[in-house]
Amino acid sequence: MNYFPVMLDVDYKKVVIVGGGHVARQKLQALLPTKAQITIISPTITDEIASYLEQGKAVWKKKYFEPSDLDDASLVFAVTDQESVNDAVEQATQHWQLLSRADAKGRVDFINPAVVRRGDLTLTVSTSGAHPGLTRKLKEDLASQFDDTFTDYIEFLKKARREIIQSVQDKNRKRDAIAALLDSELEMWAREKKWDQCDAYVQKILSGVQPI
Ligand SMILES: C[C@@]1(CC(=O)O)C2=NC(=C\c3[nH]c(c(CCC(=O)O)c3CC(=O)O)Cc3[nH]c(c(CC(=O)O)c3CCC(=O)O)/C=C3\N/C(=C\2)[C@@H](CCC(=O)O)[C@]3(C)CC(=O)O)/[C@H]1CCC(=O)O
Ligand SMILES: NC(=O)c1ccc[n+]([C@@H]2O[C@H](COP(=O)([O-])OP(=O)(O)OC[C@H]3O[C@@H](n4cnc5c(N)ncnc54)[C@H](O)[C@@H]3O)[C@@H](O)[C@H]2O)c1
């Protein structure tokens, strides 16, 4: 299956998770970095979901699923352990609402990749459903390859690129200056938080001097 990968902005959109088990917890955790308005529909929830509710991360409706639970939802997760309930969720999902079924049956508008976040750097993995266990393994490989130092690095690159865009008018110089930010020594300095060296490098780029 050739899925089309996108990065969705779900801030302030209503997201409904039907089911309150371990898979619901996984989907909830994946949504936490966003500002989605999350509602969980389920007669039971796990302790971990309960602790997220206490922190105000989602709203829980303690009940069995009914079609009206999906009103105004942009994204719908059918993640109960009952195929018939997931079928009922699918039936109730309007054509304009995007549906994900954890049992990978019936209508599948999207599947969920594994995600590694390092600030603005988002690494995702999917096997298109072929083997989710491999997806998880590759996620762990990526997480160790791209450690936490990438959070600072991407933040530095973002600011430096903005600075160049604002202060360099000439198109070619701007392109070259932005490309120069990908220097491997600069990457090392940023990941080691050697900000003085990083800033000096950017200033040299901005003044039109070859940095090294
Ligand atoms: C990435 C991740 C994100 C997330 O869950 O949000 C995710 N599955 C994860 C882990 C995982 N899932 C399962 C195992 C046990 C090993 C195994 O069975 O293989 C493990 C491994 C583990 O937990 O270690 C069981 C499983 N998963 C699906 C089925 C149904 C089926 O295949 O028929 C069954 C059998 C259920 C049963 O036996 O009844 C289906 C889907 N799981 C997907 C996503 C979508 C495709 C992902 C892809 O492209 O590869 C898809 C299609 C739909 C969806 O849920 O979006 C998350 C990574 C965790 C992380 O980030 O660490
Ligand atoms: N995508 C994945 O990563 C993945 C991984 C494992 C399992 N699965 C699939 O997801 C399903 C759920 O797995 P789980 O481990 O979360 O199961 P679980 O048993 O931990 O949780 C199921 C949840 O569904 C709720 N539920 C049952 N009937 C309901 C109803 N009528 N309305 C609302 N909620 C209802 C239960 O109260 C419970 O909270 C599995 O059956 C399997 O098909 C997917």
Side-chain angles (χ1 to χ4, degrees), residues 3 23 26-27 30 77 79 100-105 108 110-115 125-137 139-140:
Y3 289 97
V23 174
Q26 271 183 0
K27 308 305 185 207
F77 291 87
V79 294
S100 162
R101 277 186 71 153
D103 54 14
K105 299 204 166 79
V108 178
F110 68 98
I111 61 170
N112 300 269
V115 182
V125 184
S126 175
T127 62
S128 307
H131 197 318
L134 176 63
T135 304
R136 184 186 187 138
K137 183 173 172 291
K139 179 192 89 168
E140 283 158 10

Short mmCIF file of all heavy atoms in Angstrom, two decimals, residues 3 23 26-27 30 77 79 100-105 108 110-115 125-137 139-140, ligand 1:
data_model
loop_
_atom_site.label_atom_id
_atom_site.label_comp_id
_atom_site.label_asym_id
_atom_site.label_seq_id
_atom_site.Cartn_x
_atom_site.Cartn_y
_atom_site.Cartn_z
N TYR A 3 0.82 4.73 1.05
CA TYR A 3 0.19 5.84 1.76
C TYR A 3 0.89 7.14 1.38
O TYR A 3 2.06 7.15 1.02
CB TYR A 3 0.30 5.63 3.28
CG TYR A 3 -0.58 4.53 3.79
CD1 TYR A 3 -0.07 3.25 4.01
CD2 TYR A 3 -1.93 4.76 4.06
CE1 TYR A 3 -0.89 2.23 4.47
CE2 TYR A 3 -2.74 3.75 4.53
CZ TYR A 3 -2.22 2.49 4.72
OH TYR A 3 -3.01 1.49 5.17
N VAL A 23 -3.73 0.74 23.51
CA VAL A 23 -3.57 1.38 22.20
C VAL A 23 -4.10 2.82 22.26
O VAL A 23 -3.48 3.74 21.71
CB VAL A 23 -4.24 0.54 21.09
CG1 VAL A 23 -4.20 1.27 19.77
CG2 VAL A 23 -3.55 -0.81 20.97
N GLN A 26 -1.42 4.86 23.65
CA GLN A 26 -0.37 5.17 22.66
C GLN A 26 -0.78 6.34 21.77
O GLN A 26 0.01 7.24 21.48
CB GLN A 26 -0.15 3.97 21.73
CG GLN A 26 0.87 2.97 22.22
CD GLN A 26 1.07 1.84 21.19
OE1 GLN A 26 0.43 1.82 20.14
NE2 GLN A 26 1.94 0.91 21.52
N LYS A 27 -2.04 6.31 21.31
CA LYS A 27 -2.51 7.37 20.41
C LYS A 27 -2.57 8.70 21.16
O LYS A 27 -2.18 9.74 20.62
CB LYS A 27 -3.89 7.05 19.82
CG LYS A 27 -4.02 5.68 19.15
CD LYS A 27 -3.00 5.42 18.06
CE LYS A 27 -3.27 4.09 17.35
NZ LYS A 27 -2.08 3.48 16.76
N ALA A 30 0.83 10.13 21.54
CA ALA A 30 1.33 10.68 20.27
C ALA A 30 0.74 12.07 20.02
O ALA A 30 1.36 12.92 19.38
CB ALA A 30 0.99 9.75 19.12
N PHE A 77 -10.22 7.91 16.15
CA PHE A 77 -9.43 6.69 16.38
C PHE A 77 -10.37 5.62 16.92
O PHE A 77 -10.94 5.79 18.01
CB PHE A 77 -8.32 6.94 17.40
CG PHE A 77 -7.23 7.85 16.90
CD1 PHE A 77 -7.34 9.23 17.04
CD2 PHE A 77 -6.10 7.32 16.29
CE1 PHE A 77 -6.33 10.07 16.57
CE2 PHE A 77 -5.09 8.15 15.82
CZ PHE A 77 -5.21 9.52 15.95
N VAL A 79 -10.20 2.36 18.52
CA VAL A 79 -9.15 1.55 19.13
C VAL A 79 -9.70 0.69 20.27
O VAL A 79 -9.03 0.48 21.28
CB VAL A 79 -7.95 2.42 19.62
CG1 VAL A 79 -7.25 3.06 18.44
CG2 VAL A 79 -8.39 3.51 20.58
N SER A 100 -8.87 6.31 11.80
CA SER A 100 -7.77 5.35 11.98
C SER A 100 -8.32 4.18 12.79
O SER A 100 -8.93 4.38 13.84
CB SER A 100 -6.63 6.03 12.75
OG SER A 100 -5.76 5.08 13.30
N ARG A 101 -8.16 2.95 12.28
CA ARG A 101 -8.60 1.76 13.02
C ARG A 101 -7.38 0.97 13.46
O ARG A 101 -6.60 0.53 12.62
CB ARG A 101 -9.49 0.88 12.12
CG ARG A 101 -10.93 1.32 12.07
CD ARG A 101 -11.77 0.33 11.28
NE ARG A 101 -11.97 -0.94 11.99
CZ ARG A 101 -13.01 -1.73 11.82
NH1 ARG A 101 -13.97 -1.38 10.97
NH2 ARG A 101 -13.10 -2.87 12.47
N ALA A 102 -7.26 0.74 14.78
CA ALA A 102 -6.08 0.04 15.30
C ALA A 102 -6.06 -1.42 14.87
O ALA A 102 -5.00 -2.04 14.86
CB ALA A 102 -6.06 0.13 16.82
N ASP A 103 -7.24 -1.96 14.49
CA ASP A 103 -7.25 -3.36 14.05
C ASP A 103 -7.02 -3.46 12.54
O ASP A 103 -7.07 -4.56 11.97
CB ASP A 103 -8.56 -4.06 14.45
CG ASP A 103 -9.81 -3.31 13.97
OD1 ASP A 103 -9.68 -2.40 13.12
OD2 ASP A 103 -10.91 -3.64 14.46
N ALA A 104 -6.73 -2.34 11.92
CA ALA A 104 -6.38 -2.30 10.48
C ALA A 104 -7.42 -2.98 9.61
O ALA A 104 -7.11 -3.54 8.55
CB ALA A 104 -5.00 -2.91 10.26
N LYS A 105 -8.70 -2.92 10.02
CA LYS A 105 -9.78 -3.52 9.21
C LYS A 105 -10.63 -2.41 8.60
O LYS A 105 -10.61 -1.28 9.09
CB LYS A 105 -10.65 -4.40 10.11
CG LYS A 105 -9.88 -5.56 10.75
CD LYS A 105 -10.80 -6.71 11.12
CE LYS A 105 -10.02 -7.96 11.43
NZ LYS A 105 -9.44 -7.96 12.78
N VAL A 108 -9.68 2.65 6.22
CA VAL A 108 -8.48 3.17 6.89
C VAL A 108 -8.07 4.45 6.17
O VAL A 108 -7.51 4.40 5.09
CB VAL A 108 -7.31 2.14 6.82
CG1 VAL A 108 -6.06 2.72 7.46
CG2 VAL A 108 -7.70 0.82 7.49
N PHE A 110 -6.05 6.78 7.57
CA PHE A 110 -4.63 6.97 7.86
C PHE A 110 -4.17 5.95 8.88
O PHE A 110 -4.97 5.42 9.65
CB PHE A 110 -4.34 8.40 8.38
CG PHE A 110 -4.91 8.71 9.74
CD1 PHE A 110 -4.12 8.63 10.88
CD2 PHE A 110 -6.24 9.08 9.89
CE1 PHE A 110 -4.64 8.92 12.14
CE2 PHE A 110 -6.77 9.38 11.14
CZ PHE A 110 -5.97 9.30 12.26
N ILE A 111 -2.87 5.65 8.83
CA ILE A 111 -2.26 4.83 9.87
C ILE A 111 -1.23 5.69 10.59
O ILE A 111 -0.83 6.75 10.08
CB ILE A 111 -1.60 3.55 9.30
CG1 ILE A 111 -0.50 3.90 8.31
CG2 ILE A 111 -2.65 2.63 8.68
CD1 ILE A 111 0.34 2.71 7.89
N ASN A 112 -0.80 5.24 11.74
CA ASN A 112 0.09 6.06 12.57
C ASN A 112 1.52 5.58 12.49
O ASN A 112 1.80 4.41 12.78
CB ASN A 112 -0.39 6.01 14.02
CG ASN A 112 -1.81 6.54 14.15
OD1 ASN A 112 -2.01 7.72 14.38
ND2 ASN A 112 -2.79 5.68 13.93
N PRO A 113 2.44 6.47 12.12
CA PRO A 113 3.85 6.09 12.14
C PRO A 113 4.39 6.17 13.57
O PRO A 113 3.78 6.80 14.44
CB PRO A 113 4.50 7.18 11.28
CG PRO A 113 3.65 8.38 11.50
CD PRO A 113 2.25 7.88 11.71
N ALA A 114 5.52 5.54 13.81
CA ALA A 114 6.24 5.77 15.07
C ALA A 114 6.97 7.10 14.93
O ALA A 114 7.41 7.45 13.83
CB ALA A 114 7.23 4.64 15.32
N VAL A 115 7.08 7.84 16.02
CA VAL A 115 7.59 9.21 15.96
C VAL A 115 8.72 9.43 16.96
O VAL A 115 8.60 9.04 18.12
CB VAL A 115 6.46 10.23 16.26
CG1 VAL A 115 6.99 11.65 16.15
CG2 VAL A 115 5.29 10.02 15.32
N VAL A 125 8.55 6.78 11.22
CA VAL A 125 8.81 5.49 10.58
C VAL A 125 7.48 4.79 10.35
O VAL A 125 6.60 4.81 11.22
CB VAL A 125 9.66 4.56 11.48
CG1 VAL A 125 10.00 3.27 10.75
CG2 VAL A 125 10.91 5.24 11.97
N SER A 126 7.34 4.17 9.19
CA SER A 126 6.18 3.33 8.94
C SER A 126 6.58 2.18 8.03
O SER A 126 7.41 2.36 7.14
CB SER A 126 5.07 4.14 8.27
OG SER A 126 4.00 3.28 7.92
N THR A 127 5.98 1.03 8.26
CA THR A 127 6.14 -0.08 7.31
C THR A 127 4.84 -0.25 6.52
O THR A 127 4.58 -1.33 5.97
CB THR A 127 6.47 -1.40 8.04
OG1 THR A 127 5.37 -1.74 8.90
CG2 THR A 127 7.76 -1.31 8.84
N SER A 128 4.00 0.79 6.52
CA SER A 128 2.68 0.73 5.87
C SER A 128 1.84 -0.41 6.44
O SER A 128 1.00 -0.98 5.73
CB SER A 128 2.82 0.58 4.34
OG SER A 128 3.66 1.57 3.83
N GLY A 129 2.10 -0.75 7.68
CA GLY A 129 1.33 -1.81 8.34
C GLY A 129 1.92 -3.19 8.17
O GLY A 129 1.40 -4.16 8.73
N ALA A 130 3.03 -3.32 7.42
CA ALA A 130 3.59 -4.66 7.15
C ALA A 130 4.10 -5.34 8.42
O ALA A 130 3.86 -6.52 8.63
CB ALA A 130 4.72 -4.55 6.13
N HIS A 131 4.79 -4.58 9.28
CA HIS A 131 5.29 -5.15 10.53
C HIS A 131 5.53 -4.03 11.55
O HIS A 131 6.64 -3.47 11.61
CB HIS A 131 6.58 -5.95 10.28
CG HIS A 131 6.92 -6.87 11.42
ND1 HIS A 131 6.80 -6.50 12.75
CD2 HIS A 131 7.34 -8.16 11.44
CE1 HIS A 131 7.16 -7.50 13.53
NE2 HIS A 131 7.47 -8.53 12.76
N PRO A 132 4.50 -3.71 12.36
CA PRO A 132 4.65 -2.61 13.34
C PRO A 132 5.80 -2.84 14.33
O PRO A 132 6.37 -1.86 14.83
CB PRO A 132 3.30 -2.60 14.07
CG PRO A 132 2.35 -3.27 13.13
CD PRO A 132 3.14 -4.28 12.37
N GLY A 133 6.16 -4.09 14.57
CA GLY A 133 7.29 -4.37 15.47
C GLY A 133 8.59 -3.83 14.88
O GLY A 133 9.44 -3.29 15.60
N LEU A 134 8.76 -3.95 13.55
CA LEU A 134 9.95 -3.40 12.90
C LEU A 134 9.92 -1.87 13.00
O LEU A 134 10.94 -1.23 13.21
CB LEU A 134 10.03 -3.84 11.43
CG LEU A 134 11.19 -3.22 10.64
CD1 LEU A 134 12.54 -3.64 11.21
CD2 LEU A 134 11.11 -3.59 9.16
N THR A 135 8.72 -1.31 12.85
CA THR A 135 8.56 0.15 12.97
C THR A 135 9.11 0.61 14.31
O THR A 135 9.88 1.56 14.40
CB THR A 135 7.06 0.52 12.86
OG1 THR A 135 6.57 0.01 11.63
CG2 THR A 135 6.85 2.01 12.91
N ARG A 136 8.71 -0.10 15.37
CA ARG A 136 9.17 0.28 16.71
C ARG A 136 10.70 0.14 16.83
O ARG A 136 11.37 1.00 17.40
CB ARG A 136 8.48 -0.60 17.74
CG ARG A 136 8.86 -0.18 19.12
CD ARG A 136 8.34 -1.09 20.18
NE ARG A 136 8.62 -0.50 21.47
CZ ARG A 136 7.78 -0.47 22.48
NH1 ARG A 136 6.59 -1.01 22.35
NH2 ARG A 136 8.11 0.08 23.61
N LYS A 137 11.23 -0.97 16.28
CA LYS A 137 12.68 -1.21 16.37
C LYS A 137 13.45 -0.08 15.66
O LYS A 137 14.42 0.45 16.19
CB LYS A 137 12.99 -2.57 15.74
CG LYS A 137 14.43 -3.01 15.80
CD LYS A 137 14.53 -4.45 15.28
CE LYS A 137 15.97 -4.88 15.14
NZ LYS A 137 16.67 -4.19 14.06
N LYS A 139 12.41 2.88 15.08
CA LYS A 139 12.24 4.11 15.86
C LYS A 139 13.31 4.18 16.95
O LYS A 139 13.93 5.22 17.17
CB LYS A 139 10.85 4.15 16.50
CG LYS A 139 10.62 5.37 17.35
CD LYS A 139 9.38 5.27 18.20
CE LYS A 139 9.71 4.64 19.53
NZ LYS A 139 8.63 4.74 20.52
N GLU A 140 13.53 3.04 17.61
CA GLU A 140 14.54 3.02 18.68
C GLU A 140 15.95 3.26 18.13
O GLU A 140 16.76 3.97 18.74
CB GLU A 140 14.43 1.72 19.48
CG GLU A 140 13.25 1.78 20.44
CD GLU A 140 12.72 0.43 20.89
OE1 GLU A 140 13.38 -0.60 20.62
OE2 GLU A 140 11.65 0.40 21.51
C1 LIG B 1 3.92 2.75 15.05
C2 LIG B 1 2.84 2.45 16.06
C3 LIG B 1 2.29 3.79 16.42
C4 LIG B 1 0.99 3.80 17.19
O1 LIG B 1 0.50 2.75 17.65
O2 LIG B 1 0.46 4.88 17.34
C5 LIG B 1 1.92 1.44 15.45
N1 LIG B 1 2.02 0.26 16.04
C6 LIG B 1 2.94 0.29 17.04
C7 LIG B 1 3.43 -0.83 17.71
C8 LIG B 1 2.91 -2.17 17.63
N2 LIG B 1 1.70 -2.53 17.20
C9 LIG B 1 1.54 -3.89 17.32
C10 LIG B 1 2.71 -4.42 17.91
C11 LIG B 1 2.93 -5.90 18.27
C12 LIG B 1 3.68 -6.64 17.21
C13 LIG B 1 2.88 -6.93 15.95
O3 LIG B 1 1.74 -7.42 16.05
O4 LIG B 1 3.43 -6.68 14.87
C14 LIG B 1 3.59 -3.34 18.07
C15 LIG B 1 5.02 -3.36 18.56
C16 LIG B 1 5.18 -2.93 20.00
O5 LIG B 1 4.24 -2.43 20.65
O6 LIG B 1 6.30 -3.15 20.46
C17 LIG B 1 0.35 -4.67 16.97
C18 LIG B 1 -0.50 -4.26 15.85
N3 LIG B 1 -0.49 -3.06 15.20
C19 LIG B 1 -1.43 -3.07 14.21
C20 LIG B 1 -2.12 -4.30 14.28
C21 LIG B 1 -3.29 -4.70 13.40
C22 LIG B 1 -2.84 -5.43 12.18
O7 LIG B 1 -1.68 -5.34 11.75
O8 LIG B 1 -3.71 -6.16 11.66
C23 LIG B 1 -1.53 -5.06 15.28
C24 LIG B 1 -1.84 -6.46 15.71
C25 LIG B 1 -2.90 -6.42 16.86
C26 LIG B 1 -3.34 -7.78 17.29
O9 LIG B 1 -2.52 -8.69 17.37
O10 LIG B 1 -4.56 -7.89 17.51
C27 LIG B 1 -1.70 -2.01 13.28
C28 LIG B 1 -1.06 -0.80 13.18
N4 LIG B 1 -0.09 -0.34 14.01
C29 LIG B 1 0.37 0.84 13.57
C30 LIG B 1 1.18 1.72 14.30
C31 LIG B 1 -0.10 1.11 12.18
C32 LIG B 1 0.97 0.67 11.18
C33 LIG B 1 2.39 1.03 11.56
C34 LIG B 1 3.41 0.71 10.52
O11 LIG B 1 3.36 1.36 9.47
O12 LIG B 1 4.25 -0.15 10.69
C35 LIG B 1 -1.36 0.20 12.11
C36 LIG B 1 -1.62 -0.41 10.74
C37 LIG B 1 -2.63 1.00 12.42
C38 LIG B 1 -2.47 2.07 13.47
O13 LIG B 1 -2.64 1.76 14.66
O14 LIG B 1 -2.20 3.20 13.09
C39 LIG B 1 3.38 1.69 17.29
C40 LIG B 1 4.87 1.90 17.50
C41 LIG B 1 5.17 1.94 18.98
C42 LIG B 1 6.25 2.88 19.31
O15 LIG B 1 6.25 4.00 18.84
O16 LIG B 1 7.11 2.49 20.12
#
